[in-house]
Amino acid sequence: MSQVGDILKRDMELFYDDLNSERKTSESQCDRVLVSDFTEYNPLHNGHFHCMKTAKDMFPDSLFVAVVPGLFERSGRGIPYILPRQVRAEIAVSVGADIVVEGPPMGIMGSGQYSLCLCRMFQALNTDYIPRGYKPVEGIDEILKRINRGHHIASKPYKVVDKTTKEVLLKGKLEEDNYVITSFSNSLSKIGFDYKDKFIFVERIEGVSGTLIRESILQDNFDKVLEMMPPKTIEVLKREIKNDGIIYGIRDEEAILDTANGYSLEELANLNLFNEKLARNILDNGPYDNLESLKNSILQGFSSHFRQRVLSILENPIPKETVSKYIDKYPTNIRVLGYKNKSSLEKFKEKVNNGNIIHY
């Protein structure tokens, strides 16, 4: 089995281990400030570093905890990450994170589902502050101001609503970074987490191109992106390229085709984010000999983003009812992917409201 196949098999076992575990609430108390950031670090660039440094400068004695998406190694777009999460955690600790914990399986979930999981993680970590990067566009200042007053802000189709005051704050759609902020506000409100004055909003810096970074990795030539990433990120990327550790774009094609060709209409329709129309479309155009023919058969009208999500779900077929149960219990276990030192780890254990802390 390939490296990616090994990772996915291991992660499926971890998923069901989490699902079948019971969360143990910790009674320990700690007045240490905990700053918790969620980011994919795909890979960690100067924008991520700027957000981390801003928060750490504001609270120099705090524990900085990075929540890095974990299981199945697929991004919010459903695309395989550049580096496995343990390597992403290594870079994060090297540039300033005290603790890195494993976040939810983004690639097999809808945006609302993983937003809810992330917010449950913030709650379990007893988070005091949440730094978030934002893009300065018209109308966003008022939205951010309302969120830090503790208002329940939610993005609806083509508008942003203050559910506390019943006002429409913005007409139109938000860009991705700004949308994530309103999604967090909505999910935190749903779970009853008081986030008044807890967000640290950091304006995104210019001069970082994810497209150029990905091209530099595929070409093993970092000349154009040396100013976009911390030296440690580039050092680790070069090491992983040399050791065949880059997993970007690599899928378990056999597993995907087995699901698409072998599942019944009912089994496909019951997968997370699937419905009968999508399941029937896949069956009617099969069987499939390769990934490209399968991808091209997915219903027209959906974005490539959606198609990548579909591939990730076929790659890791989990029924929607099972995912729903997983979300309701999340996080049963908190897996620490990396930590600065033993002192930081002990302070983290004292602070966190979960007795099931596992570290590698």
Side-chain angles (χ1 to χ4, degrees):
M1 185 180 287
S2 67
Q3 177 197 8
V4 168
D6 289 339
I7 290 172
L8 297 182
K9 183 183 180 199
R10 176 203 65 190
D11 285 358
M12 188 66 78
E13 292 173 356
L14 290 173
F15 176 91
Y16 279 99
D17 182 56
D18 288 345
L19 182 69
N20 295 321
S21 297
E22 294 300 325
R23 180 174 167 183
K24 296 177 183 177
T25 303
S26 171
E27 300 298 330
S28 59
Q29 299 291 322
C30 177
D31 59 4
R32 173 79 59 167
V33 171
L34 188 146
V35 178
S36 181
D37 183 23
F38 157 73
T39 186
E40 298 179 84
Y41 292 153
N42 188 38
L44 191 151
H45 54 60
N46 286 345
H48 300 130
F49 181 64
H50 173 66
C51 190
M52 179 192 294
K53 187 174 184 303
T54 299
K56 285 173 66 70
D57 286 347
M58 290 177 67
F59 301 98
D61 295 325
S62 66
L63 277 174
F64 188 96
V65 180
V67 181
V68 172
L71 301 178
F72 309 119
E73 299 293 1
R74 270 77 187 114
S75 74
R77 294 179 175 85
I79 299 170
Y81 282 121
I82 291 167
L83 296 167
R85 56 192 181 272
Q86 283 88 352
V87 182
R88 287 181 280 146
E90 174 193 345
I91 298 172
V93 170
S94 75
V95 300
D98 296 296
I99 304 286
V100 181
V101 301
E102 182 182 274
M106 292 182 68
I108 64 160
M109 289 182 168
S111 59
Q113 292 178 319
Y114 69 72
S115 176
L116 195 58
C117 282
L118 286 166
C119 290
R120 291 189 189 280
M121 178 64 81
F122 291 145
Q123 189 175 49
L125 296 177
N126 281 331
T127 300
D128 295 296
Y129 296 100
I130 304 169
R132 285 306 306 168
Y134 74 96
K135 290 183 178 179
V137 297
E138 186 176 351
I140 192 63
D141 287 346
E142 182 61 25
I143 291 171
L144 301 184
K145 190 186 300 179
R146 300 282 185 110
I147 288 174
N148 259 345
R149 289 179 188 162
H151 288 213
H152 181 177
I153 307 299
S155 288
K156 302 291 184 180
Y158 302 104
K159 63 182 178 181
V160 179
V161 179
D162 184 333
K163 298 183 79 170
T164 302
T165 64
K166 315 299 182 188
E167 296 173 81
V168 175
L169 300 181
L170 184 73
K171 292 185 178 179
K173 297 178 75 173
L174 288 172
E175 296 184 56
E176 185 174 349
D177 285 2
N178 296 343
Y179 173 82
V180 168
I181 293 170
T182 59
S183 180
F184 280 171
S185 170
N186 190 40
S187 296
L188 288 167
S189 296
K190 285 181 178 179
I191 65 174
F193 185 90
D194 181 8
Y195 52 88
K196 185 174 184 288
D197 295 324
K198 287 186 180 291
F199 277 96
I200 302 168
F201 295 119
V202 181
E203 185 174 330
R204 276 191 59 171
I205 62 171
E206 300 295 328
V208 176
S209 167
T211 300
L212 280 179
I213 289 172
R214 285 188 289 274
E215 287 176 359
S216 73
I217 294 165
L218 294 175
Q219 297 168 5
D220 191 11
N221 184 341
F222 295 89
D223 291 347
K224 295 180 180 179
V225 297
L226 291 174
E227 303 301 318
M228 295 183 187
M229 295 179 283
K232 181 64 177 182
T233 298
I234 295 174
E235 176 191 322
V236 171
L237 284 170
K238 288 181 176 180
R239 182 193 76 197
E240 293 302 311
I241 290 171
K242 183 179 179 181
N243 295 334
D244 292 325
I246 302 295
I247 60 173
Y248 178 64
I250 302 174
R251 290 193 178 276
D252 188 342
E253 184 170 341
E254 183 180 353
I256 295 171
L257 295 178
D258 282 350
T259 304
N261 292 329
Y263 271 42
S264 68
L265 176 66
E266 182 180 6
E267 287 172 322
L268 283 175
N270 284 335
L271 293 178
N272 196 43
L273 304 185
F274 271 56
N275 55 34
E276 186 172 329
K277 184 178 180 181
L278 175 59
R280 191 174 295 281
N281 173 256
I282 289 173
L283 284 181
D284 288 348
N285 288 286
Y288 305 97
D289 296 323
N290 57 71
L291 225 52
E292 197 62 28
S293 63
L294 170 59
K295 188 165 67 173
N296 291 337
S297 79
I298 296 171
L299 288 166
Q300 295 300 315
F302 287 114
S303 65
S304 58
H305 177 154
F306 182 81
R307 287 177 170 175
Q308 294 292 342
R309 285 272 186 97
V310 169
L311 292 180
S312 288
I313 293 163
L314 291 171
E315 194 174 32
N316 306 283
I318 303 175
K320 61 187 69 173
E321 183 178 333
T322 302
V323 172
S324 180
K325 290 178 181 176
Y326 178 89
I327 294 168
D328 287 343
K329 297 180 72 174
Y330 189 85
T332 51
N333 299 309
I334 294 180
R335 280 186 283 272
V336 176
L337 300 173
Y339 55 93
K340 181 179 177 181
N341 51 44
K342 289 185 178 180
S343 174
S344 295
L345 183 61
E346 290 308 309
K347 290 170 185 173
F348 175 75
K349 290 179 178 179
E350 290 173 9
K351 176 73 175 181
V352 173
N353 185 28
N354 190 307
N356 291 349
I357 296 176
I358 304 163
H359 60 88
Y360 295 98

